[in-house]
Amino acid sequence: MAGELPYEAPLIEMRKKIDELVQFGQEKGIDFTDEIARLEERYHRLEEEIYTGITAAQKMHLARHQQRPTALDLIQLIFTDFIELHGDRMFGDDLAVVGGLAKLNGKTVTVIGQQRGKDTKDNIARFFGSAHPEGFRKGLRLMKQANKFGRPIITFIDTKGAYPGNTAEERGQSEAIARNLMEMAKLSVPVIVVVIGEGGSGGALAMAVGNRVLMLEHAIYSAISPNGAASILWKDASKADQAAEAMKITAKDLLEMEVIEDIIPEPRGGAHRDYEASATFISEALVRHLDEMKGWSGDQLKQDRYEKFRKIGSVTFEPQAPIEAPQEPVEVDVASNLSGNAE
Amino acid sequence: MFKDIFQKKRKYATIPSERALPGEGQEVLERPKREIPEGLMNKCSKCGTIQYSKELEKNLKVCPACGYHMRLNAMERIAMVLDDQGFVEFDADMISVDPLGFPGYSNKLEQQRLKSGLKEAVITGEGTIDGLPVVVAVMSFDFFTGSMGSVVGEKITRAIEHATEKRLPLIIFSTSGGARMQESILSLMQMAKTSAALSRLDEQGGLYISVITDPTTGGVSASFASLGDINIAEPGAVFGFAGRIVIEQTIRQKLPDDFQTAEFNMQHGQLDMVVHRKELRATLGKLLDMHSEKGGV
């Protein structure tokens, strides 16, 4: 197994033992068929146990796996005829965001992805998938283009967050994210969002205002990275695993909170084990959800998206007197009152 | 304009270091501590100048020495900007729950309530400025560093929807450390919720003025605070997405003192104006008046 994670160690150990036994049997000409079959069975049981009980912290590591398929990997496998389009028409071409035209099941769509690098050099060019304002604006330009031509928008979310740098701030990082949130709410075409890896904070949300928000089984999505939360809450970034559990960042948690609509299964062990199978699962989900919105008018789509986000949040009411607003003290004519009493 | 008058002058307190200690034989004199009755005097957190609290109040909590605009809570802001009569608060009794069962959140909420005397980090309502009706949302840094959780998002969304429905102009006074991480994804989603509500006000032609006060960062700066038809900031107010320390760690450079201040943002085209607190009410009144001619909006 390539790119194994720490919790997979027992599996690797057992696989090695089975292989050794097979080899030993072949060399010495001894028949170990029964023993091997028994070990294989135990291996499968262990596999089942490990992969069905993946914790939030383990998912965090899976979602950030270096070999996990990136947006471009998936775009190439899911769509045909992908034509990449570039630039925000204002400042530059942010490679942390990719996008363009493509066909899904023969129909043209606009697809936009947050793109991590595949290696160090690629990562430097793409700022590790953390967009500058020009990245968000590039995404918005492509969305408005899709809106003009009436084609659905599909976005892939995979970022640690918006790029935290001085240049990003100077060019209005806040404004770029905020503008996307407002403008995405106005789109009259179907918008489907798929969180494929890490959905980190405002940088993720800036391209995630969709009618449907879907998550891959092991993807995570949160307001702040577990590392960031741990360093703020407990002044210790190494407690990220602990924070990951407390923060409810998994697809299952978010489905329960009705923040997302659907979970897309991953191949056993994670998306990095089988790119084709992952793409097939995503493709099926995209087609299904697009079909459900078929024939909806622009207003219907806007209303649906509005309601989706409108209902998120958990509040209560305290049955007590409201805080009084500061007002001019009511002037009571003390003198006349006093004189009245005296009489 | 005011930038020049109220330029921030950083004055550092000198702390004697090891080397600066007096030489052998010299006696180390302890500075006598001056006893100051609680609440009588106030020390500017920027320049350290000490002044009478009463004088400071008269100066709208702007330091007379360095021009620092001290943080106001929502009630002080409402008293300062709106007309004296007729403020009606919305959703005054809406409070937070602990939707994720996050360790320590319930206790922290209780502490924040006691400490600030507020129920949440925003107060919303309807009032008037110079007799012109306006819907306002006013945040307080005092409560949980003004962080946005479900309650802040919901109250602000309701206020925006009220403005849209009644065709009234909207002013939001922002100050926030960002999303409230104890509500994780729910607080993140409040950014989308409030911005979507603003999209409806925007499409309807409603006026929204964003007033950015010190500090406005993270999830609030990256949602409604940046979306005003007119964006105004108070002098010196920190306004940005990522925190200074995080950025310094990323770029491995020291950032200039004025980084992310209102003046910095003005220079980089992110604001329409930087307005001194003394002029704020009049400026808002003028803007409301200029948008009032076509009947309501």
Side-chain angles (χ1 to χ4, degrees), chain B residues 36-261:
Chain B
I36 300 165
E38 190 85 18
L40 181 65
M41 305 297 280
N42 205 309
K43 190 174 162 187
C44 174
S45 62
K46 277 270 146 59
C47 70
T49 305
I50 293 168
Q51 57 246 312
Y52 283 108
S53 295
K54 268 193 184 158
E55 288 297 314
L56 195 61
E57 298 287 340
K58 255 192 248 167
N59 206 32
L60 306 176
K61 287 207 172 177
V62 176
C63 173
C66 73
Y68 175 60
H69 284 49
M70 294 177 192
R71 291 165 188 171
L72 302 179
N73 76 25
M75 302 319 287
E76 292 171 316
R77 177 70 67 180
I78 288 167
M80 201 174 278
V81 172
L82 294 187
D83 295 342
D84 290 341
Q85 300 289 329
F87 177 74
V88 181
E89 192 183 347
F90 304 152
D91 307 305
D93 48 358
M94 192 191 290
I95 53 166
S96 289
V97 290
D98 180 10
L100 271 54
F102 199 92
Y105 185 36
S106 295
N107 283 342
K108 185 114 196 251
L109 278 171
E110 194 51 46
Q111 280 170 21
Q112 294 293 322
R113 280 187 206 118
L114 291 173
K115 190 194 87 180
S116 66
L118 297 162
K119 287 186 188 170
E120 251 301 336
V122 71
I123 287 179
T124 56
E126 192 183 324
T128 55
I129 297 175
D130 295 340
L132 295 165
V134 62
V135 175
V136 294
V138 190
M139 301 187 74
S140 298
F141 199 78
D142 276 6
F143 188 95
F144 229 120
T145 64
S147 58
M148 174 158 67
S150 296
V151 171
V152 171
E154 182 66 24
K155 283 177 86 167
I156 287 179
T157 302
R158 287 184 185 199
I160 299 167
E161 286 176 338
H162 181 86
T164 311
E165 198 185 314
K166 302 276 178 199
R167 297 189 167 264
L168 290 172
L170 168 76
I171 306 175
I172 302 180
F173 298 85
S174 295
T175 175
S176 175
R180 190 170 298 169
M181 70 186 132
Q182 288 84 349
E183 293 187 30
S184 191
I185 196 75
L186 296 180
S187 55
L188 185 71
M189 293 298 145
Q190 304 309 311
M191 294 168 64
K193 184 161 105 181
T194 51
S195 302
L198 282 174
S199 79
R200 291 192 160 182
L201 181 71
D202 187 48
E203 286 187 318
Q204 193 211 47
L207 170 69
Y208 165 39
I209 301 170
S210 172
V211 180
I212 291 139
T213 67
D214 185 58
T216 299
T217 59
V220 166
S221 79
S223 59
F224 54 83
S226 287
L227 292 173
D229 296 300
I230 295 162
N231 290 342
I232 300 173
E234 287 197 326
V238 166
F239 174 44
F241 181 64
R244 167 187 279 268
I245 295 165
V246 177
I247 296 172
E248 284 184 337
Q249 281 167 355
T250 309
I251 63 169
R252 287 175 196 156
Q253 276 173 41
K254 197 104 183 71
L255 291 162
D257 274 359
D258 74 338
F259 184 67
Q260 289 180 325
T261 57

Side-chain angles (χ1 to χ4, degrees), chain A residues 326-338:
Chain A
Q327 281 173 350
E328 280 283 308
V330 183
E331 293 212 8
V332 181
D333 195 341
V334 181
S336 67
N337 269 359
L338 282 176

Side-chain angles (χ1 to χ4, degrees), chain A residues 26-27 36 42 45 48 70 106 118 133 135 183 219 237 313 323:
Chain A
Q26 277 168 357
E27 279 170 13
I36 289 167
R42 262 176 59 192
R45 246 183 304 154
E48 193 67 38
T70 64
K118 295 295 278 184
E183 295 301 323
I323 299 172

